Amino acid sequence: AQTVTQSQPEMSVQEAETVTLSCTYDTSESDYYLFWYKQPPSRQMILVIRQEAYKQQNATENRFSVNFQKAAKSFSLKISDSQLGDAAMYFCAYRSYYLSGGGADGLTFGKGTHLIIQP
Amino acid sequence: DVKVTQSSRYLVKRTGEKVFLECVQDMDHENMFWYRQDPGLGLRLIYFSYDVKMKEKGDIPEGYSVSREKKERFSLILESASTNQTSMYLCASSFTGQGNEKLFFGSGTQLSVL
């Protein structure tokens, strides 16, 4: 079974600065997807960024980028120019590329990192 | 936009009660999921369904059951609620096909069992 580890329960950053959230995972598979989800106080889970393991290029979405190190099984999220609206719980998640027989698989989530933005 | 609606935002129940948590999605997604979220534990998969009347156990199915009689609706059932089932419950859906790896989430139901 796959596991996802987020070693930072809480992180704090000054507004406009850059912060990196860490995520490592354990899998024996070679093809898979990795995700970062954001959960603000509204509780609505929002997909921030997605990475396919077979792509070497790191995914980027505006101020959000990842550092994907497949050999090290590491998938960190960098938030540049932090804004107050970035304050949230951030979850790293994993999903196998190939689905089990039913055609659906849930994501495996880490325990989350609470990101605080200091004004 | 895809909408996943959970019927209750907050729910308070007594120990031993039968509890139904309802989830409806409006995008004709084949797959639906129930997760439980606890502080310090992240999200854990309870059950999922890939078609009407089909269900699969997730990582923590004990004490729960599910029902999917219609494609758009996925119900989580606590047959006899216990205090250790006090938690946030999140429903999600996805479609089968290219790009199916993305989950769309509801806003969660905070359940308190007293």
Side-chain angles (χ1 to χ4, degrees):
Chain A
Q2 294 79 23
T3 59
V4 177
T5 301
Q6 293 179 250
S7 58
Q8 305 152 316
E10 187 171 279
M11 292 280 287
S12 181
V13 63
Q14 290 290 131
E15 194 176 1
E17 294 190 347
T18 295
V19 63
T20 298
L21 308 184
S22 300
C23 173
T24 59
Y25 58 94
D26 187 25
T27 184
S28 59
E29 300 172 333
S30 59
D31 294 321
Y32 47 86
Y33 297 99
L34 295 165
F35 308 83
W36 279 99
Y37 275 87
K38 169 185 176 181
Q39 186 182 43
S42 67
R43 304 186 330 205
Q44 183 71 52
M45 293 281 281
I46 302 164
L47 179 64
V48 175
I49 202 163
R50 181 190 84 171
Q51 175 83 41
E52 291 99 331
Y54 59 86
K55 289 186 177 179
Q56 293 187 347
Q57 187 172 4
N58 288 325
T60 299
E61 290 287 341
N62 300 314
R63 297 182 294 108
F64 298 87
S65 61
V66 297
N67 183 5
F68 174 48
Q69 303 284 336
K70 190 172 184 179
K73 296 180 183 175
S74 171
F75 183 60
S76 60
L77 175 70
K78 186 172 84 170
I79 306 174
S80 303
D81 184 26
S82 296
Q83 301 175 0
L84 294 177
D86 295 334
M89 284 292 292
Y90 285 82
F91 292 96
C92 179
Y94 171 103
R95 207 214 76 178
S96 300
Y97 184 83
Y98 297 102
L99 300 175
S100 59
D105 272 310
L107 304 185
T108 299
F109 286 86
K111 295 182 179 181
T113 297
H114 182 212
L115 179 62
I116 298 167
I117 309 295
Q118 305 279 6
Chain B
D1 279 351
V2 174
K3 193 162 185 181
V4 179
T5 303
Q6 294 184 231
S7 54
S8 303
R9 190 160 175 86
Y10 298 96
L11 209 53
V12 180
K13 295 292 180 180
R14 296 284 182 190
T15 303
E17 278 193 79
K18 189 169 185 176
V19 181
F20 292 86
L21 302 184
E22 306 287 347
C23 176
V24 177
Q25 49 92 6
D26 66 357
M27 279 299 291
D28 205 34
H29 283 173
E30 292 88 355
N31 310 318
M32 297 188 75
F33 307 84
W34 276 107
Y35 283 90
R36 170 176 172 160
Q37 182 180 1
D38 299 288
L41 295 179
L43 280 74
R44 294 176 291 168
L45 183 63
I46 304 172
Y47 266 98
F48 65 96
S49 168
Y50 53 87
D51 201 353
V52 175
K53 297 191 185 296
M54 304 305 290
K55 60 185 179 184
E56 293 283 345
K57 293 180 179 179
D59 299 319
I60 52 165
E62 297 78 17
Y64 304 94
S65 62
V66 290
S67 173
R68 193 163 181 206
E69 296 296 318
K70 294 184 178 181
K71 191 175 185 179
E72 68 271 18
R73 185 179 297 270
F74 193 36
S75 303
L76 180 69
I77 303 158
L78 288 65
E79 293 289 342
S80 178
S82 63
T83 54
N84 62 12
Q85 293 178 309
T86 291
S87 186
M88 171 79 76
Y89 291 88
L90 289 167
C91 176
S93 70
S94 71
F95 69 92
T96 299
Q98 184 65 29
N100 67 341
E101 66 281 0
K102 179 180 176 180
L103 294 187
F104 296 85
F105 283 87
S107 295
T109 296
Q110 179 64 52
L111 173 67
S112 296
V113 182
L114 306 177

